[in-house]
Amino acid sequence: MRVHNFGAGPCTLPLDVLEEAREEFLEFSDSGMSLLELSHRSPAYDEVHSATLELARRVAGAPADFEVLLMQGGATLQFAMLPMNLLGPGSSGGYVVSGAWGAKALASARKAGVAYSAWDGVGYGFTRMPAPEEIRLDDGTRYLHVTTNETIGGIRMVDFPESGTPLVADMSSEYLTRPIEWDRYDVVYGGVQKNLGPAGLALVFVRRSAIEDGPDLPDFLAYRWHAAANSLGNTPAMFQIYLMGKVLRRIEGRGGVPVLEAETEAKASMLYAAIDESDGFFTSPIDRAVRSLTNVVFRLPSPELEARFLLEAAHRNLVGLKGHRSVGGCRASLYAALELDSVSALVDHMRTFQRDAR
Amino acid sequence: MRVHNFGAGPCTLPLDVLEEAREEFLEFSDSGMSLLELSHRSPAYDEVHSATLELARRVAGAPADFEVLLMQGGATLQFAMLPMNLLGPGSSGGYVVSGAWGAKALASARKAGVAYSAWDGVGYGFTRMPAPEEIRLDDGTRYLHVTTNETIGGIRMVDFPESGTPLVADMSSEYLTRPIEWDRYDVVYGGVQKNLGPAGLALVFVRRSAIEDGPDLPDFLAYRWHAAANSLGNTPAMFQIYLMGKVLRRIEGRGGVPVLEAETEAKASMLYAAIDESDGFFTSPIDRAVRSLTNVVFRLPSPELEARFLLEAAHRNLVGLKGHRSVGGCRASLYAALELDSVSALVDHMRTFQRDAR
């Protein structure tokens, strides 16, 4: 019995993709072996690899002057690689700290170069985003780092600062469910384990001119090295790349980013409506204008009711709804492969629970 | 039809492990979802993760004062992390350059700290290993890095230098097919995609005292961070960890490292015997005393004969036998999951081919 999986990542994947991968699991493409056993230098794998890179570029709409890189280490390794690759003597990275992930990105950057907080939402409990004029940039700022969607806090950036400084964005938890204004960015990155595939792979877009004359870093830490090797400098996370290829092909076939965006908005609207129409039984702490569309954070009147709500949800096969341990409450993640039916089932549970609790 | 896969990595995996994973692929342990969709914070995944860590420690025989770490980025990221974590002001890393991988480890280390070649086999065409007294250590050497087996060159270190300086070893291509003298090492590491699982995971053993007071590095680059978080600081390569767990359980059930070692020796003996008894038709360029047991490199009298040999091998379902593009010739990798029958089939092909070619 397949559950409704609202997990914040890793998360639900398209069932047809899983079924296809299962079908091919023991023997890939008449190779006499599993994809897991293929050489990463074999023509059979190369086809998978190249197709995934091309699909990622096409679905994201990345211009030709961006490199598409497939790397291991998730967004967390990117937190280190970004300043290592982009900063030099006299330059620094500004960070919008809009939640836990922005804070982690800044903390790692400070250990790899000069980085500072250009705006910090901690004083607001991470319930609002900065107005563009609130963001303070130091002289010599090489890039402004934003977390376009904070997975834990459930908040998203809607208005991007027009400072002229290139943006660098962690989009992990809303990857390809919203369009990317490429001319504003030098780097767009994210772990794929929310919208695009299983854990163990980061998809990174880097503007070529941003890495032409960078510092001379150890191989794996240099964007240039990955770019020059077509993300095959060492053995890549082949299974994740293969599966993400299947997911991207499905996304493209269904209409790409515009369709994912519309579906995401529809799912989020349905859930926020249920919250807002509950007469204060369910509440969202987040400024309405910047509520996340992919991580819907909400509270019930008491921790006891929250615990019961989660327990009864599980009995109805609604899982992964517990808020992050650092903030508590509930969180429903509405990633690309989550069906609208799952949101309906959740809304149904919310209404029933509220009625019975009164 | 399953082929005999002599690939140098990724490589053949135990068929029963693949079949088991296929069986569980759509629903893991009554969770209502695939393992690929599980939260890395869920009890179901935590059980897999902890069990794999414990199995790795037990099978490797790692003492309690070693941390067992599961990381992404392969051995190549370790080439950078090692000097970053272990070197400080005034200390350096010595490297035995016994082939392509030793050279790469040194090149990355030079970009991350002070590192030097303590012995270089390039003048010998990487056909011999240093005698312990040939290794020259600078004052202030923090560690001596060795590549215990060179995957491309097909050479292995048999005698380890007794310098008193802690050793750091890349064991990727012979991981757990030979015992590890733990008291000599501060770090033992390797990508798992040869003996232990699919690509996308590195298994790293680090002596706890070696990382107690290291530099303050960005999260993902710090061994301390991975150790403190039990390799769950960020979303790990869950599928690889799950599969490696199955492989390790199977290895343990079959008798562990001593059995793998004996099997590896048996496979290598059979193949080297066929080479040595071919009256010079097949030749190994490597000093007999240090021939690799897992990557058997050999040549035929001419490149034309080599091409025909490989083509006819493929017709007999013997694949992955082409030497690395940098050295040419043939290479048969005899990793843990390759059956003795596969080696027999190869030897059979060698004899037939030689007879018909004369």
Side-chain angles (χ1 to χ4, degrees):
Chain A
M1 168 87 201
R2 199 158 156 85
V3 297
H4 301 286
N5 182 356
F6 293 92
C11 61
T12 196
L13 292 170
L15 184 58
D16 51 358
V17 165
L18 293 173
E19 283 170 343
E20 209 177 286
R22 182 180 190 279
E23 204 52 51
E24 303 174 340
F25 195 73
L26 291 184
E27 177 163 10
F28 178 74
S29 184
D30 297 323
S31 62
M33 60 181 85
S34 170
L35 180 117
L36 299 171
E37 304 172 298
L38 277 185
S39 164
H40 60 301
R41 307 283 176 208
S42 63
Y45 175 70
D46 196 58
E47 208 171 293
V48 169
H49 192 85
S50 306
T52 303
L53 282 170
E54 281 163 29
L55 271 161
R57 181 187 293 282
R58 219 158 54 220
V59 174
D65 59 330
F66 275 77
E67 298 281 358
V68 186
L69 308 178
L70 301 171
M71 273 181 268
Q72 300 176 51
T76 305
L77 179 55
Q78 294 306 308
F79 295 166
M81 286 181 66
L82 279 168
M84 294 176 91
N85 280 270
L86 298 188
L87 299 183
S91 71
S92 62
Y95 282 72
V96 174
V97 181
S98 48
W101 290 105
K104 284 194 187 199
L106 174 57
S108 271
R110 279 191 164 130
K111 294 175 182 173
V114 179
Y116 66 93
S117 160
W119 183 83
D120 197 323
V122 70
Y124 307 99
F126 294 130
T127 58
R128 58 174 287 252
M129 276 283 175
E133 63 275 13
E134 292 179 280
I135 295 172
R136 180 192 58 78
L137 292 181
D138 289 355
D139 286 347
T141 298
R142 169 66 187 81
Y143 63 79
L144 176 65
H145 181 280
V146 296
T147 311
T148 67
N149 185 80
E150 285 281 356
T151 320
I152 293 175
I155 190 167
R156 107 196 260 251
M157 188 167 266
V158 174
D159 295 315
F160 291 90
E162 306 256 10
S163 63
T165 302
L167 294 178
V168 162
D170 176 359
M171 297 195 75
S172 299
S173 48
E174 58 171 16
Y175 227 173
L176 304 191
T177 59
R178 82 191 282 184
I180 298 166
E181 284 183 76
W182 289 100
D183 53 342
R184 318 272 308 262
Y185 295 94
D186 267 7
V187 182
V188 169
Y189 71 97
V192 309
Q193 72 277 8
K194 295 164 197 291
N195 280 329
L196 306 177
L201 183 67
L203 172 62
V204 183
F205 299 91
V206 185
R207 186 183 295 279
R208 204 165 292 127
S209 62
I211 55 168
E212 268 165 4
D213 332 284
D216 197 19
L217 297 165
D219 286 349
F220 200 92
L221 298 178
Y223 286 139
R224 262 204 309 271
W225 181 78
H226 291 278
N230 203 31
S231 299
L232 277 166
N234 69 336
T235 322
M238 296 162 67
F239 189 68
Q240 283 86 343
I241 291 169
Y242 153 80
L243 273 179
M244 183 172 78
K246 287 189 186 295
V247 172
L248 286 170
R249 195 166 290 114
R250 187 176 179 275
I251 289 173
E252 186 175 56
R254 295 178 58 243
V257 171
V259 168
L260 283 196
E261 185 182 28
E263 288 178 353
T264 303
E265 282 169 1
K267 289 184 278 187
S269 296
M270 184 189 279
L271 187 49
Y272 280 119
I275 291 168
D276 294 338
E277 291 160 11
S278 73
D279 292 327
F281 187 79
F282 297 102
T283 51
S284 156
I286 307 298
D287 179 1
R288 269 179 198 241
V290 292
R291 285 168 166 180
S292 170
L293 304 183
T294 41
N295 305 106
V296 177
V297 163
F298 57 96
R299 312 279 329 208
L300 276 75
S302 72
E304 292 70 32
L305 282 169
E306 282 167 355
R308 233 181 74 206
F309 175 79
L310 292 171
L311 192 69
E312 293 181 17
H315 290 148
R316 300 177 69 163
N317 285 317
L318 302 158
V319 307
L321 287 163
K322 199 170 172 183
H324 190 267
R325 57 207 146 94
S326 63
V327 294
C330 304
R331 171 177 53 176
S333 295
L334 314 177
Y335 292 136
L338 187 91
E339 307 276 353
L340 192 66
D341 279 358
S342 294
V343 185
S344 289
L346 172 58
V347 166
D348 207 55
H349 172 55
M350 290 165 74
R351 294 202 174 121
T352 311
F353 186 83
Q354 181 178 0
R355 193 192 59 214
D356 296 351
R358 286 247 153 126
Chain B
M1 169 87 203
R2 200 159 156 83
V3 296
H4 301 287
N5 182 356
F6 294 91
C11 60
T12 197
L13 292 170
L15 183 59
D16 51 358
V17 165
L18 293 174
E19 283 171 343
E20 209 177 286
R22 182 181 192 278
E23 204 52 54
E24 303 174 341
F25 195 72
L26 292 183
E27 177 162 10
F28 178 74
S29 185
D30 297 322
S31 62
M33 62 181 84
S34 170
L35 179 117
L36 298 172
E37 304 172 298
L38 278 185
S39 164
H40 61 299
R41 307 283 176 209
S42 63
Y45 177 70
D46 197 57
E47 208 170 293
V48 170
H49 191 86
S50 306
T52 303
L53 282 170
E54 281 163 30
L55 272 161
R57 180 187 294 283
R58 219 157 55 221
V59 175
D65 59 331
F66 274 77
E67 299 281 358
V68 187
L69 308 178
L70 302 170
M71 274 181 267
Q72 300 175 52
T76 306
L77 180 55
Q78 294 307 308
F79 295 165
M81 286 181 64
L82 280 167
M84 293 175 91
N85 280 271
L86 298 189
L87 299 182
S91 72
S92 61
Y95 282 71
V96 173
V97 181
S98 49
W101 290 103
K104 284 194 189 201
L106 173 57
S108 272
R110 281 191 163 130
K111 295 176 183 174
V114 179
Y116 66 93
S117 159
W119 184 82
D120 197 322
V122 69
Y124 307 98
F126 295 131
T127 57
R128 59 173 286 251
M129 278 283 177
E133 64 275 13
E134 292 179 280
I135 295 172
R136 179 193 57 81
L137 291 181
D138 289 355
D139 285 348
T141 298
R142 169 67 188 81
Y143 61 80
L144 177 65
H145 182 280
V146 296
T147 310
T148 67
N149 185 78
E150 286 280 355
T151 320
I152 294 175
I155 189 166
R156 107 194 259 250
M157 186 167 264
V158 175
D159 295 315
F160 291 90
E162 306 255 10
S163 63
T165 302
L167 295 178
V168 163
D170 175 359
M171 297 195 75
S172 299
S173 47
E174 59 171 16
Y175 228 172
L176 305 190
T177 58
R178 80 192 282 182
I180 298 167
E181 283 183 77
W182 288 101
D183 54 342
R184 319 272 306 263
Y185 295 95
D186 267 7
V187 181
V188 170
Y189 70 98
V192 309
Q193 72 277 9
K194 293 164 197 294
N195 280 328
L196 306 176
L201 183 67
L203 172 63
V204 183
F205 299 91
V206 184
R207 187 182 294 280
R208 202 165 292 127
S209 62
I211 55 168
E212 267 165 4
D213 331 283
D216 197 18
L217 296 165
D219 287 349
F220 200 92
L221 298 178
Y223 287 139
R224 263 204 308 271
W225 181 78
H226 291 278
N230 203 30
S231 300
L232 277 167
N234 69 335
T235 322
M238 297 161 67
F239 189 68
Q240 281 87 343
I241 291 169
Y242 153 81
L243 272 180
M244 184 172 78
K246 287 189 186 296
V247 172
L248 286 169
R249 194 167 291 113
R250 186 175 178 276
I251 289 173
E252 186 174 56
R254 296 178 57 244
V257 172
V259 169
L260 283 195
E261 186 181 28
E263 287 178 352
T264 303
E265 282 169 3
K267 288 183 279 187
S269 297
M270 184 189 279
L271 187 48
Y272 282 118
I275 291 168
D276 294 338
E277 291 160 10
S278 72
D279 292 326
F281 186 79
F282 297 101
T283 52
S284 156
I286 307 298
D287 178 1
R288 271 180 197 240
V290 292
R291 284 169 166 179
S292 169
L293 304 183
T294 42
N295 305 105
V296 178
V297 164
F298 58 96
R299 312 278 331 208
L300 276 74
S302 72
E304 293 68 35
L305 281 169
E306 282 167 356
R308 234 180 75 205
F309 175 78
L310 293 172
L311 191 71
E312 292 180 18
H315 290 148
R316 298 177 70 163
N317 285 317
L318 302 159
V319 306
L321 286 164
K322 198 170 173 182
H324 189 267
R325 57 205 147 97
S326 64
V327 294
C330 303
R331 172 177 54 177
S333 295
L334 313 177
Y335 293 135
L338 186 91
E339 308 277 352
L340 193 66
D341 278 358
S342 295
V343 184
S344 288
L346 172 58
V347 166
D348 207 55
H349 171 54
M350 290 165 74
R351 294 199 175 125
T352 310
F353 186 84
Q354 181 178 1
R355 194 193 57 213
D356 296 350
R358 288 249 153 125

